[in-house]
Amino acid sequence: MRNIKTAIAIFIVVIISELLNLEYPFYAAIATIISMENSVTNSFTAGKNRMMGTFVGAGVGLIFAIIDPKNAFYCAVGIVFVIYICNLLKWNKSISIASIVFLAIMLNLHVGESPLLYGLNRIFDTLIGVTVAVVVNYLIFPPKHEYNLHIARKTLMRRLTDAAEEVISLGVNGDLKDLKKDIADLEKFHELCKLEFHLTKDHGQTMNHIEEEIEICKHIYSHMRMIQRLYIEQDLLHDIPNTKQLDSESLKIVIDYHIECIFKEIESLGLIIPVTSTSMN
């Protein structure tokens, strides 16, 4: 949908540029593309960085264009000033855009054209592009991060329960790559939802609760991974002559400890494991 929304935003920007008779609709379109992100908040942030960079680039470009536009030496010196100012203001993510706007003013300025008017037009173009991107992203097919978060959470809990049942009932543990990926997916959607604009009153509490669940899932994964490594290392040592191994009783104690931890963490999530014993067979 981000693909479709970008196309819609570009269509709107080009129409607006024609209605307002903008001289360089290219800059508004570029701002739209850069600001179309995977969430409304990220669109706003990208647009904000673009605007800040445009102000710095236009300001420095105005000064140097008055002195001597298209001068190679002043272009180089101006870039130094642009980067320095962005770093000074801690606008690091605006450096590239600021540099581009500065060079656009220095290199595209026509003879007799006002540097001030050209700079103001670039700021106006950017503002139009950013605004269209944010509005389109918010109103047209808004990102379903909360729905994706719900699905990712259900998927993770189901896989976590299945893996825990396998470990606790059978004392074995298969491939944990899918479980690790599910935890990463839940983290990703959690971060997106946490930053999104349309927040409900209990949104903060819900996000904090899910964050706690993610940490618990990571703990469970760590215990499962440890059990997996114990079995693998024990098998490897078994194949090497004259190598000291854990006796079966010691191995059982260590693994039972991790199983008990898994069981407690699973219970803290409110999940049920249909097993009768937490001990290894």
Coordinates of all heavy atoms in Angstrom, one line a residue, residues 149 153 190 193-194 199-213:
L149 N 0.3 -5.8 14.9 CA 0.8 -6.1 16.3 C -0.1 -7.3 16.9 O 0.5 -8.2 17.5 CB 0.7 -4.9 17.2 CG 1.2 -5.0 18.6 CD1 2.7 -5.2 18.7 CD2 0.8 -3.8 19.4
R153 N 1.4 -10.9 17.9 CA 1.4 -11.4 19.2 C 0.7 -12.7 19.3 O 1.2 -13.6 20.1 CB 0.6 -10.3 20.1 CG 0.6 -10.7 21.6 CD -0.1 -9.5 22.3 NE -0.2 -9.8 23.7 CZ -1.3 -10.4 24.3 NH1 -2.3 -10.7 23.5 NH2 -1.3 -10.7 25.6
H190 N 5.6 -3.5 17.6 CA 5.5 -2.7 18.9 C 6.1 -1.4 18.8 O 5.5 -0.4 19.2 CB 6.1 -3.6 20.0 CG 6.2 -2.8 21.3 ND1 7.4 -2.2 21.7 CD2 5.3 -2.6 22.3 CE1 7.2 -1.6 22.9 NE2 6.0 -1.8 23.2
C193 N 3.9 0.9 16.5 CA 2.6 1.3 17.2 C 2.9 2.3 18.3 O 2.1 3.3 18.6 CB 1.9 0.1 17.8 SG 1.1 -0.9 16.6
K194 N 4.0 2.2 19.0 CA 4.4 3.0 20.1 C 4.6 4.5 19.6 O 4.4 5.4 20.3 CB 5.6 2.5 20.8 CG 5.9 3.2 22.1 CD 7.0 2.4 22.9 CE 8.3 2.4 22.2 NZ 9.4 1.8 23.1
L199 N -3.2 7.7 19.0 CA -3.0 7.0 20.3 C -4.3 7.1 21.1 O -4.9 8.2 21.2 CB -1.9 7.6 21.1 CG -0.5 7.7 20.4 CD1 0.5 8.3 21.3 CD2 -0.1 6.3 19.9
T200 N -4.7 6.0 21.7 CA -5.9 6.0 22.6 C -5.4 6.3 24.0 O -4.2 6.3 24.2 CB -6.6 4.6 22.5 OG1 -5.7 3.6 22.9 CG2 -7.1 4.3 21.1
K201 N -6.4 6.5 24.9 CA -6.0 6.8 26.3 C -5.2 5.7 26.9 O -4.2 6.0 27.7 CB -7.2 7.1 27.1 CG -8.0 8.4 26.7 CD -9.2 8.7 27.6 CE -9.9 9.9 27.1 NZ -11.1 10.2 28.0
D202 N -5.5 4.5 26.7 CA -4.8 3.4 27.3 C -3.7 2.8 26.4 O -3.2 1.8 26.7 CB -5.8 2.2 27.7 CG -6.5 1.7 26.5 OD1 -6.5 2.4 25.4 OD2 -7.0 0.6 26.5
H203 N -3.4 3.6 25.4 CA -2.4 3.1 24.4 C -1.0 2.9 25.1 O -0.3 1.9 24.9 CB -2.2 4.1 23.3 CG -1.3 3.6 22.2 ND1 -1.7 2.8 21.2 CD2 0.0 3.9 22.0 CE1 -0.7 2.6 20.4 NE2 0.4 3.2 20.9
G204 N -0.6 3.9 26.0 CA 0.7 3.8 26.6 C 0.8 2.5 27.5 O 1.8 1.8 27.5
Q205 N -0.3 2.3 28.3 CA -0.3 1.1 29.2 C -0.2 -0.2 28.4 O 0.5 -1.1 28.7 CB -1.6 1.1 30.0 CG -1.6 2.3 31.0 CD -2.9 2.2 31.9 OE1 -3.8 1.5 31.6 NE2 -2.9 3.0 33.0
T206 N -1.0 -0.2 27.3 CA -0.9 -1.4 26.4 C 0.4 -1.7 25.9 O 0.9 -2.8 25.8 CB -1.9 -1.3 25.3 OG1 -3.2 -1.1 25.8 CG2 -2.0 -2.5 24.4
M207 N 1.1 -0.6 25.4 CA 2.4 -0.7 24.8 C 3.4 -1.2 25.9 O 4.3 -2.0 25.6 CB 2.9 0.6 24.2 CG 2.1 1.0 23.0 SD 2.3 -0.2 21.6 CE 0.7 -1.0 21.7
N208 N 3.3 -0.7 27.1 CA 4.2 -1.1 28.2 C 4.0 -2.6 28.5 O 4.9 -3.3 28.8 CB 3.9 -0.3 29.4 CG 4.4 1.2 29.3 OD1 5.3 1.4 28.4 ND2 3.9 2.1 30.0
H209 N 2.7 -3.0 28.5 CA 2.4 -4.4 28.8 C 3.0 -5.3 27.7 O 3.6 -6.4 28.1 CB 0.9 -4.6 28.8 CG 0.4 -6.0 29.1 ND1 0.6 -6.7 30.3 CD2 -0.2 -6.9 28.2 CE1 0.2 -7.9 30.2 NE2 -0.3 -8.1 28.9
I210 N 2.9 -5.0 26.5 CA 3.4 -5.8 25.4 C 4.9 -5.8 25.5 O 5.6 -6.8 25.2 CB 2.9 -5.3 24.0 CG1 1.4 -5.5 23.9 CG2 3.7 -6.0 22.9 CD1 0.8 -5.0 22.6
E211 N 5.5 -4.7 25.9 CA 7.0 -4.6 26.0 C 7.5 -5.6 27.1 O 8.5 -6.3 26.9 CB 7.4 -3.2 26.4 CG 8.9 -3.0 26.4 CD 9.3 -1.5 26.5 OE1 8.4 -0.6 26.5 OE2 10.5 -1.2 26.6
E212 N 6.7 -5.7 28.2 CA 7.0 -6.7 29.2 C 6.9 -8.1 28.7 O 7.7 -9.0 29.0 CB 6.1 -6.5 30.4 CG 6.4 -5.2 31.2 CD 5.3 -4.9 32.3 OE1 4.4 -5.8 32.4 OE2 5.4 -3.9 32.9
E213 N 5.9 -8.3 27.9 CA 5.7 -9.7 27.3 C 6.9 -10.0 26.4 O 7.3 -11.2 26.4 CB 4.4 -9.7 26.5 CG 3.1 -9.7 27.4 CD 1.9 -9.9 26.6 OE1 1.9 -9.7 25.3 OE2 0.8 -10.3 27.2

